[in-house]
Amino acid sequence: MNIDVQTIFWMDAFLYLMLHAAIWYGMARYHSGLVTLWSVSGLFSALGVFILGCRGILTTDTVVFWGVLFMALGNFGRQAALRSLDGPADRRWLWGMAAFNGAYLLGTYGYYFSGGSESGVILLFYGFYTLNCSEYVVSGRSIAATHDPFGSRAVQTAGWLLVITLGIKTVATLGGWGAADLYDLSWDQVVVFGGQFVAITMLSVGFMQIFVDQMHKAQIRAEQGLAREWFRCLDQRRPL
């Protein structure tokens, strides 16, 4: 058991926990369900990464089942939050992404619990998220049309970083050029965890910037509406 790589898993989990808890606390004054969705989803991801780092402490069956599940729930929740910035997320998108995640979970569980290898589960994991994280690029481009450009660029860049680093990890695992075990210390582990540390920070900063910008614009619109109503009332009171 390589404690160094397990420690990196736990560091990654702590980063998820710290960033999303900070956003939840810092934006509590807005009483926003969107912020709650983003933050709770991040906490699910933190729990998932932590469990994935607990093989040897927990049984492998427990690590595979709960770690994979919480990771999928957390990622889906954050993507849904980004899709809901301008109102409820499109139902077709929700059902399609839910089906994509569900197919991945069923495929992983079916493969592993029917006697599949841990290396196969790892390959499925990284391959799935290489495709899945392209959603951050797509949603970031969509957000750019109506929201803060800095935040949307941060989301897009984080998406590309995840796709590229997870893709490298997937190819390395498939070709046998990287870590053979979940906790092996290898160059591809450095690539994927480095990408995780930077990308999750950029996603959190991007979401926070977009949301604050949205609230600021809503406040300006409300103030302009009140000003127009005030002047209208003044006009009505003027003598003819």
Side-chain angles (χ1 to χ4, degrees), residues 142-153:
S142 177
I143 290 166
T146 54
H147 290 283
D148 176 75
F150 173 82
S152 64
R153 282 196 298 268

Side-chain angles (χ1 to χ4, degrees), residues 134-197:
S134 63
E135 164 60 21
Y136 291 115
V137 180
V138 175
S139 60
R141 287 176 178 171
S142 177
I143 290 166
T146 54
H147 290 283
D148 176 75
F150 173 82
S152 64
R153 282 196 298 268
V155 171
Q156 288 183 68
T157 303
W160 278 120
L161 185 59
L162 287 169
V163 169
I164 292 169
T165 56
L166 289 165
I168 291 171
K169 174 65 176 175
T170 301
V171 172
T173 302
L174 186 62
W177 303 309
D181 183 81
L182 184 63
Y183 300 150
D184 281 351
L185 186 58
S186 180
W187 66 272
D188 56 322
Q189 301 277 46
V190 175
V191 169
V192 78
F193 278 112
Q196 285 280 308
F197 289 141

Side-chain angles (χ1 to χ4, degrees), residues 27 34 38 81-82 85-86 139-140 143-144 146-156 202-217:
M27 296 187 172
L34 203 60
W38 178 272
L82 288 172
L85 283 165
D86 290 315
S139 60
I143 290 166
T146 54
H147 290 283
D148 176 75
F150 173 82
S152 64
R153 282 196 298 268
V155 171
Q156 288 183 68
M202 293 185 70
L203 280 175
S204 297
V205 170
F207 173 79
M208 185 168 57
Q209 181 67 32
I210 293 164
F211 183 82
V212 170
D213 177 70
Q214 184 182 48
M215 293 297 101
H216 180 63
K217 288 179 179 177

